[in-house]
Amino acid sequence: MDPTPPRNNAVTVADVARMAGVSKATAARVLGGYGTVSDRVREAVTLAARNLNYRPNELARSMTTGRSGTIGVVVGDIENPFFSLAVRGITDIARQAGFTVILTNSGENTETEKAAIRALLAKRVDGLIVSPAMESDVDHLEEAIRSGCPMVLLDRGSRTLGVDTVVADDGHAAEDITRRLIAGGHRRIAYLTACDTPDHRFRLPSDISTGSVRRRIEGFLRACHEAGLSGMEDWVRLGALTPAETQRIVTAMLTDKHAPTAIIASDSVIGLDVFKICRDRGIDIPRDLSLVSFHDADWTSVTTPPVTVVRQPVYQLGEKAAKLLVERLNGNGGPASRVVLKTELVERASVADIPAEQMSEARQEKV
Amino acid sequence: MDPTPPRNNAVTVADVARMAGVSKATAARVLGGYGTVSDRVREAVTLAARNLNYRPNELARSMTTGRSGTIGVVVGDIENPFFSLAVRGITDIARQAGFTVILTNSGENTETEKAAIRALLAKRVDGLIVSPAMESDVDHLEEAIRSGCPMVLLDRGSRTLGVDTVVADDGHAAEDITRRLIAGGHRRIAYLTACDTPDHRFRLPSDISTGSVRRRIEGFLRACHEAGLSGMEDWVRLGALTPAETQRIVTAMLTDKHAPTAIIASDSVIGLDVFKICRDRGIDIPRDLSLVSFHDADWTSVTTPPVTVVRQPVYQLGEKAAKLLVERLNGNGGPASRVVLKTELVERASVADIPAEQMSEARQEKV
DNA sequence: TTGAAAGCGATACCAC
DNA sequence: GTGGTATCGCTTTCAA
């Protein structure tokens, strides 16, 4: 027994082959688990590998096979519970299918996203799962696809890119909750999102480059229009990128003569910020203000009052995206599919109807 | 097993060289940004590369250089806000230093952790950042280090492994908060963690294999001992791995004749579960029960009452770990350092003192 | 079943 | 400066 452990792990198939007294090719066959080898040789090679503490070099393997066993994921912000959960769904499926995941943050910035895609492509990932920061700027994605890298879009789609897409039913979700608010007598309903436009003002849904948010705003406006409410575009507020920005926007709205009676938060991070601001300003939810948030984050059920939310199947969103990608990677062709996962309105206690007398008052103001 | 998907982007340095009318070596020099080339040639090669839409193959590059430009990260659970935030700190620093990050989940399971390390090593990561699931079982980590892969331990240390370590001051934090509770008259203080032992019972801190949790429990017991409280080991409750398990444990405690007057939750996920259980059971925090949680998660400030927490510099924990690793990767040697980041007790409103009459009663029960 | 040798796509050393 | 060429560790024909 030679107890001297190999210092540098520069053990290669050649070393193992030499020790086992076979050719490099044969050793590689048993080590790589391909081809056919006699049991005797297999044993000898396995033993030698163990003795030498052989570690396969995936890089070299990838070089020849062309597959890296890696999936690249680009999300807006891992810190956002929405993405953490989706990423969890992705990695669970990926690992199950024998892939590892390289995770990158775009910070919802297209330039960073481009750099990330480039780096991922350079690392020769087998496939890509992306939440595009901007639907309007997807040249880098298109190029990645053209170069032969399968891609699945997560949470945000693209009409021009013909790729597999997994999104939630955001439009209908927004429509439902808006209808619900209107039925409760609300007329001044604000929709608050982190998305932004150059001049920070909202005019048309097409100005919104984040697909999921655009679909929600469209749903919001659809419900408003259906109820005969006009000019609701003014209630779509953009740029809630940071707690400070959110505070500025919400405070401005709340101190205005025409303060909203309800706020729809586009994600749970903003929802939490709004909740904090209300608490700090002594605004009673839902008496003074109704609040609805997208994403059923863990904390929403535990506040006073608990928050009414749109529950998206976030983990499943990630799972489904990974499954679609793995299928493609396994050679299953076919046309690009668009999967739309159902959402669910979870009514808790942060929404209240507007009393009748205030309703007429509200109507007067509208006129 | 399946045929390699066709990558039409098979443009190599050779192709670029041919088009630019130079040798492979020269083209590689400008493409790789090393060596010296004349401006005229540089221009020609750059142009050819752009025309051909050349993409460097990082895999091939890594093969020869021996560096992959990749850092492997193994955490317990990305979904846990603690890790999401730490990972954010890691990736920010890594990207800044030109590294990409491969993220893997151990699920706090040593076997999964071993597999992850193996896969990461096979992918030839330049370095590793790990939150070991078990301090007692680190052979795979030791081997990784021996094979020459720099490693930084995050949140959890190891006495046997002589590597850079970044942890929070968990022991003192637990000591402080325990002391604070005892000063407020609490005697029946439960410490609740997801960590577990084979028989689900706690005897000695050394039974706890998760370093950070062990240090916290040690701090808890230290403060108890200091105050003359004995037998507090019985108040350390293990196995709060899932909401259901947590519910079982907490309900059992709360319905016991000797119910705790305070609970210390070992992380924000458990803290939230405890909060939910109390709300469901109509237990008034802090009147009926005081609650303290580790990790200043975003929701803790917004509940009623807001939760007193131990604030750890989680993002900085990740940052520091990544910085240490990058330094090692840049060749800066030196002995392994152990960085301990300060925590802060954020007193909110989930802790109340025990009224004098109940205190004596509690003492009696103790006797 | 096994072995010899040709790549994969880049880097690096060494002449010129 | 520039061009040839060995090399990295593995997979993969093609013969034997």
PDB file of all heavy atoms in Angstrom, chain A residues 20 34 49 85 110 182 205 320:
ATOM      1  N   ALA A  20      -3.192   0.705 -15.222  1.00  0.00           N
ATOM      2  CA  ALA A  20      -4.009  -0.491 -15.431  1.00  0.00           C
ATOM      3  C   ALA A  20      -3.422  -1.394 -16.516  1.00  0.00           C
ATOM      4  O   ALA A  20      -3.909  -2.496 -16.758  1.00  0.00           O
ATOM      5  CB  ALA A  20      -5.436  -0.081 -15.796  1.00  0.00           C
ATOM      6  N   TYR A  34     -18.689   4.424 -21.927  1.00  0.00           N
ATOM      7  CA  TYR A  34     -19.225   4.217 -23.276  1.00  0.00           C
ATOM      8  C   TYR A  34     -18.461   3.070 -23.928  1.00  0.00           C
ATOM      9  O   TYR A  34     -17.442   2.616 -23.399  1.00  0.00           O
ATOM     10  CB  TYR A  34     -19.106   5.496 -24.101  1.00  0.00           C
ATOM     11  CG  TYR A  34     -17.721   6.079 -24.167  1.00  0.00           C
ATOM     12  CD1 TYR A  34     -16.842   5.697 -25.178  1.00  0.00           C
ATOM     13  CD2 TYR A  34     -17.278   6.996 -23.222  1.00  0.00           C
ATOM     14  CE1 TYR A  34     -15.575   6.222 -25.245  1.00  0.00           C
ATOM     15  CE2 TYR A  34     -16.008   7.527 -23.276  1.00  0.00           C
ATOM     16  CZ  TYR A  34     -15.157   7.142 -24.295  1.00  0.00           C
ATOM     17  OH  TYR A  34     -13.896   7.664 -24.356  1.00  0.00           O
ATOM     18  N   ALA A  49      -8.156   3.755 -11.258  1.00  0.00           N
ATOM     19  CA  ALA A  49      -8.737   5.093 -11.136  1.00  0.00           C
ATOM     20  C   ALA A  49      -8.922   5.445  -9.672  1.00  0.00           C
ATOM     21  O   ALA A  49      -8.620   6.566  -9.242  1.00  0.00           O
ATOM     22  CB  ALA A  49     -10.071   5.146 -11.871  1.00  0.00           C
ATOM     23  N   LEU A  85     -37.691  31.522  -6.096  1.00  0.00           N
ATOM     24  CA  LEU A  85     -38.561  30.363  -6.144  1.00  0.00           C
ATOM     25  C   LEU A  85     -38.551  29.723  -7.532  1.00  0.00           C
ATOM     26  O   LEU A  85     -38.463  28.499  -7.664  1.00  0.00           O
ATOM     27  CB  LEU A  85     -39.982  30.788  -5.760  1.00  0.00           C
ATOM     28  CG  LEU A  85     -40.997  29.681  -5.516  1.00  0.00           C
ATOM     29  CD1 LEU A  85     -40.437  28.642  -4.555  1.00  0.00           C
ATOM     30  CD2 LEU A  85     -42.290  30.277  -4.953  1.00  0.00           C
ATOM     31  N   THR A 110     -30.722  45.610 -19.738  1.00  0.00           N
ATOM     32  CA  THR A 110     -30.466  44.905 -20.993  1.00  0.00           C
ATOM     33  C   THR A 110     -28.983  44.741 -21.293  1.00  0.00           C
ATOM     34  O   THR A 110     -28.557  43.717 -21.827  1.00  0.00           O
ATOM     35  CB  THR A 110     -31.123  45.629 -22.178  1.00  0.00           C
ATOM     36  OG1 THR A 110     -32.469  45.893 -21.844  1.00  0.00           O
ATOM     37  CG2 THR A 110     -31.108  44.754 -23.409  1.00  0.00           C
ATOM     38  N   ILE A 182     -63.366  47.383  -8.747  1.00  0.00           N
ATOM     39  CA  ILE A 182     -64.395  48.276  -9.297  1.00  0.00           C
ATOM     40  C   ILE A 182     -65.772  47.901  -8.751  1.00  0.00           C
ATOM     41  O   ILE A 182     -66.566  48.760  -8.367  1.00  0.00           O
ATOM     42  CB  ILE A 182     -64.386  48.215 -10.840  1.00  0.00           C
ATOM     43  CG1 ILE A 182     -63.076  48.821 -11.370  1.00  0.00           C
ATOM     44  CG2 ILE A 182     -65.588  48.967 -11.421  1.00  0.00           C
ATOM     45  CD1 ILE A 182     -62.880  48.675 -12.867  1.00  0.00           C
ATOM     46  N   PRO A 205     -49.594  50.645 -23.196  1.00  0.00           N
ATOM     47  CA  PRO A 205     -48.993  49.383 -22.751  1.00  0.00           C
ATOM     48  C   PRO A 205     -47.732  49.044 -23.539  1.00  0.00           C
ATOM     49  O   PRO A 205     -46.791  48.472 -23.001  1.00  0.00           O
ATOM     50  CB  PRO A 205     -50.093  48.355 -23.015  1.00  0.00           C
ATOM     51  CG  PRO A 205     -51.349  49.130 -22.892  1.00  0.00           C
ATOM     52  CD  PRO A 205     -51.032  50.499 -23.451  1.00  0.00           C
ATOM     53  N   LYS A 320     -41.486  24.068 -15.239  1.00  0.00           N
ATOM     54  CA  LYS A 320     -41.969  23.870 -16.598  1.00  0.00           C
ATOM     55  C   LYS A 320     -40.935  24.388 -17.613  1.00  0.00           C
ATOM     56  O   LYS A 320     -40.679  23.730 -18.633  1.00  0.00           O
ATOM     57  CB  LYS A 320     -43.304  24.603 -16.780  1.00  0.00           C
ATOM     58  CG  LYS A 320     -43.997  24.298 -18.092  1.00  0.00           C
ATOM     59  CD  LYS A 320     -44.422  22.835 -18.179  1.00  0.00           C
ATOM     60  CE  LYS A 320     -44.858  22.468 -19.586  1.00  0.00           C
ATOM     61  NZ  LYS A 320     -45.092  21.031 -19.730  1.00  0.00           N
TER      62      LYS A 320
END
